[in-house]
Amino acid sequence: MILYLWLVPLLFWLFLLGAAVGSFLNVCIYRTLLGKSLAWPGSRCGHCFHEVRLRDNVPLLSYWLLRGRCRDCGTPFSMRYFWVELLTALSFVALYLLEILWNVQHLPIWPDGALDYLRWAQSPPHSWPLFVFHVVLTCFLITATACLLDRGRVPAPVAVTGTLAGLVGAALF
C-alpha cells in the first residue's frame, strides 16, 4: 500500500489541472456562443466590464470566495462556472482511474490494469496519449453540453472541431 502513496499527489495534480482547463472551457462556452475571440480580451464581468483580477480567477475557489458575484459591481455570476470547473476536474481524475489504473477497457497492452506498473511509479506503455485523447473529447462534450443548456444550440466551431478531433483520434488509436 505504501508503494501507491505517490498516486495521491498525481490525482490531486490532475484535479487542479482539470479545474484550470474547466475555467478555460467556461471562456469557450461564453465566447463561442457570442462569436467572440477566445484569446482577447482577458476575462471581464459581463455587466460592468471590469477586468477580472488574477487573484479572482482561481478555479473553484474564487467563485466561493466572491460568493458568486463580481468584486466590482456585485452582479451575480452563473453557477455554471463553478459546475463546469468541478465537472472537468472530476473527469480528469475519473478518466485516469478508469483508463490507466483499472484498465476498464481491457486493453491488451496492460491486461491486469496498471497496478503492476504503478507499483514502481511508472505508467503503462502508451497510456498517456490515450488518456489525453479521451480528456480532449470529454472537454468537447462538456463544452457542447453547457452551450446546449445555456442557449439551446451547439456552436459550429465546437461541433466541427470536436468531431474532427474524435475522428483523428479514432484513426490513431
Side-chain angles (χ1 to χ4, degrees):
M1 187 65 177
I2 240 166
L3 295 172
Y4 300 112
L5 284 179
W6 64 271
L7 192 60
V8 173
L10 174 65
L11 294 177
F12 182 70
W13 181 83
L14 285 171
F15 184 86
L16 292 179
L17 179 65
V21 169
S23 183
F24 176 70
L25 293 183
N26 276 316
V27 172
C28 295
I29 294 161
Y30 178 76
R31 293 186 182 186
T32 55
L33 286 171
L34 298 176
K36 294 184 176 183
S37 167
L38 297 180
W40 185 86
S43 295
R44 301 178 183 282
C45 172
H47 185 260
C48 69
F49 300 109
H50 276 101
E51 193 167 324
V52 175
R53 295 167 184 84
L54 189 59
R55 70 174 188 236
D56 295 336
N57 214 3
V58 179
L60 297 173
L61 292 178
S62 291
Y63 190 88
W64 294 109
L65 292 175
L66 294 172
R67 294 182 178 88
R69 299 182 174 276
C70 173
R71 181 180 294 277
D72 296 307
C73 70
T75 301
F77 296 129
S78 170
M79 274 294 288
R80 184 205 72 219
Y81 291 99
F82 175 78
W83 291 117
V84 166
E85 290 171 2
L86 182 64
L87 177 64
T88 309
L90 292 174
S91 296
F92 275 43
V93 172
L95 279 170
Y96 180 84
L97 290 173
L98 293 171
E99 288 196 334
I100 295 180
L101 188 63
W102 296 321
N103 190 18
V104 295
Q105 297 179 29
H106 304 291
L107 296 174
I109 298 172
W110 59 98
D112 298 327
L115 291 176
D116 289 336
Y117 291 102
L118 295 176
R119 190 172 290 134
W120 308 109
Q122 298 175 355
S123 292
H126 312 296
S127 61
W128 285 104
L130 184 67
F131 172 74
V132 169
F133 168 61
H134 286 144
V135 160
V136 168
L137 290 182
T138 301
C139 289
F140 275 109
L141 287 173
I142 290 170
T143 303
T145 303
C147 287
L148 193 60
L149 291 174
D150 267 7
R151 300 285 169 104
R153 66 183 181 89
V154 177
V158 174
V160 170
T161 310
T163 302
L164 290 176
L167 290 172
V168 167
L172 291 175
F173 294 107

